[in-house]
Amino acid sequence: SQQGEEDPQALSIQEGENATMNCSYKTSINNLQWYRQNSGRGLVHLILIRSNEREKHSGRLRVTLDTSKKSSSLLITASRAADTASYFCATDAPGYALNFGKGTSLLVTP
Amino acid sequence: DTGVSQDPRHKITKRGQNVTFRCDPISEHNRLYWYRQTLGQGPEFLTYFQNEAQLEKSRLLSDRFSAERPKGSFSTLEIQRTEQGDSAMYLCASSPKETGLTDTQYFGPGTRLTVL
């Protein structure tokens, strides 16, 4: 079963705009990760935020985590066409596997 | 560091045939994972190895599925008597054993299986 739920399912913006994606999850976590997947290809890790962290930055990415609301958000600033991809949040599952959501499909048009 | 590699990248087979996929993790990564991803969905966990030991298996991994990681290096995933419902992208990932928590996983490009 998939624990994470991304919102929106699809997002279309123009280059230069910011893109915000949200993730909600159901059970307590140790950490939450965001991955990107270009069309039909493998996933690329973007950022990991631990449960005791509230915000983390990496380049044009900003991730927030609210454990009381069981939610996270991913902000991509100054979007580029190359950011077009599907974005997944993943929470830790029992053991060391990851539980992925269904993803947000982001389209950035020039 | 050449990344995680998977072979083949695409496999088309007829229903009832057996297929085997291979995954070569990043060297020195002792954790290896298999996931399955269908269209429009996120990856779903199948199984996990730490070195050569298969420590976890998802309920998704029916009796027709078997995975091995001999010598704790590459891994194979075999599907016997394939069904059309097995059509999916099979993703392999590896991670180093850095902490006692779930760490960053490095994914391969996947093997896309089509069962006719």
Side-chain angles (χ1 to χ4, degrees), chain A residues 1-2 30-31 33 35 37 39-48 50 88 91-103, chain B residues 9 31 33 35 37 40-45 48 50 55-56 59 89 91 97 99-110 112:
Chain A
S1 63
Q2 297 186 305
N30 292 307
N31 63 53
Q33 304 182 42
Y35 286 81
Q37 185 176 39
S39 179
R41 302 180 69 177
L43 287 92
V44 174
H45 177 259
L46 296 176
I47 199 163
L48 181 153
R50 303 260 181 224
F88 296 90
T91 55
D92 49 341
Y96 299 101
L98 293 173
N99 268 332
F100 286 87
K102 293 185 178 181
Chain B
R9 295 291 304 276
R31 293 178 181 168
Y33 316 80
Y35 293 84
Q37 185 178 24
Q41 302 293 316
E44 294 177 296
F45 169 71
Y48 156 64
Q50 183 156 307
L55 297 184
E56 284 188 56
R59 285 175 296 177
M89 175 79 88
L91 295 165
K97 185 182 177 184
T99 72
L101 303 175
T102 307
D103 292 305
T104 299
Q105 294 184 15
Y106 299 83
F107 282 81
R112 183 170 295 282

Side-chain angles (χ1 to χ4, degrees), chain B residues 28-113:
Chain B
E28 298 171 2
H29 279 192
N30 52 17
R31 293 178 181 168
L32 186 146
Y33 316 80
W34 285 97
Y35 293 84
R36 182 175 69 186
Q37 185 178 24
T38 53
L39 198 61
Q41 302 293 316
E44 294 177 296
F45 169 71
L46 292 178
T47 190
Y48 156 64
F49 289 85
Q50 183 156 307
N51 299 314
E52 66 276 6
Q54 187 175 19
L55 297 184
E56 284 188 56
K57 289 197 292 185
S58 162
R59 285 175 296 177
L60 292 174
L61 213 66
S62 75
D63 292 344
R64 297 184 298 106
F65 287 70
S66 63
E68 293 183 342
R69 194 183 181 196
K71 303 177 184 178
S73 55
F74 71 92
S75 175
T76 58
L77 178 68
E78 181 183 17
I79 309 174
Q80 296 182 327
R81 305 182 302 281
T82 52
E83 302 172 355
Q84 288 184 325
D86 297 331
S87 295
M89 175 79 88
Y90 289 84
L91 295 165
C92 176
S94 68
S95 68
K97 185 182 177 184
E98 291 179 343
T99 72
L101 303 175
T102 307
D103 292 305
T104 299
Q105 294 184 15
Y106 299 83
F107 282 81
T111 294
R112 183 170 295 282
L113 173 66

Side-chain angles (χ1 to χ4, degrees), chain A residues 10 14-15 17-18 21-22 28 30 39 46-47 53 56 70 75 79 82 86 88 94 97 102:
Chain A
Q14 292 190 315
E15 268 190 328
E17 294 180 336
N18 295 342
M21 291 158 250
N22 302 296
S28 297
N30 292 307
S39 179
L46 296 176
I47 199 163
E53 297 174 311
K56 204 162 183 179
K70 292 187 170 59
L75 168 68
S79 296
S86 292
F88 296 90
K102 293 185 178 181

Side-chain angles (χ1 to χ4, degrees), chain B residues 7-18:
Chain B
D7 184 69
R9 295 291 304 276
H10 302 273
K11 179 71 177 178
I12 299 174
T13 191
K14 293 182 179 178
R15 190 175 53 187
Q17 298 294 304
N18 298 345

